[in-house]
Amino acid sequence: MSSSVSATEAAKVIGTARERIDALDGQILDLVRERMAVSATVQEARIAAGGRRVHLSREMEILDRYRQRLGKPGTTLAMTLLELCRGRV
Ligand SMILES: C=C(O[C@@H]1C=C(C(=O)O)C=C[C@H]1O)C(=O)O
């Protein structure tokens, strides 16, 4: 069976797509860092007012949002993000 694209063509498509993936990963990582900083602001304000770092009902909302958009792996991703933002509980 003959293939419809040459190895050179495929390498070009892959190279371009990987550049885009690297750029997207850079943006995602910057956004994760920004999320961590914003989350820290919320946690510090709550703790300064005598509250707790963790707010479980809010975390449930976030887990649900990620699960609705991405399915079960979305929940895993949200749990990892929450751990990055507020540490392990
Ligand atoms: C940032 C908050 O504090 C904690 C961190 C959360 C987060 O990073 O999304 C969510 C709930 C809290 O456990 C918040 O209550 O909104």
Side-chain angles (χ1 to χ4, degrees), residues 16-72:
T16 303
R18 282 185 174 168
E19 276 176 22
R20 181 70 184 132
I21 286 170
D22 289 345
L24 288 166
D25 281 346
Q27 288 177 44
I28 290 166
L29 290 165
D30 286 346
L31 287 169
V32 169
R33 287 216 168 271
E34 186 178 349
R35 191 192 194 290
M36 290 165 71
V38 176
S39 181
T41 302
V42 175
Q43 294 167 55
E44 283 157 20
R46 192 164 48 239
I47 289 166
R52 291 169 187 247
R53 176 175 301 283
V54 173
H55 192 288
L56 282 179
S57 64
R58 171 68 179 157
E59 294 201 1
M60 290 304 128
E61 283 174 19
I62 291 162
L63 290 169
D64 196 50
R65 177 188 307 151
Y66 278 75
R67 187 191 53 73
Q68 280 184 25
R69 292 287 292 269
L70 300 172
K72 201 174 167 196

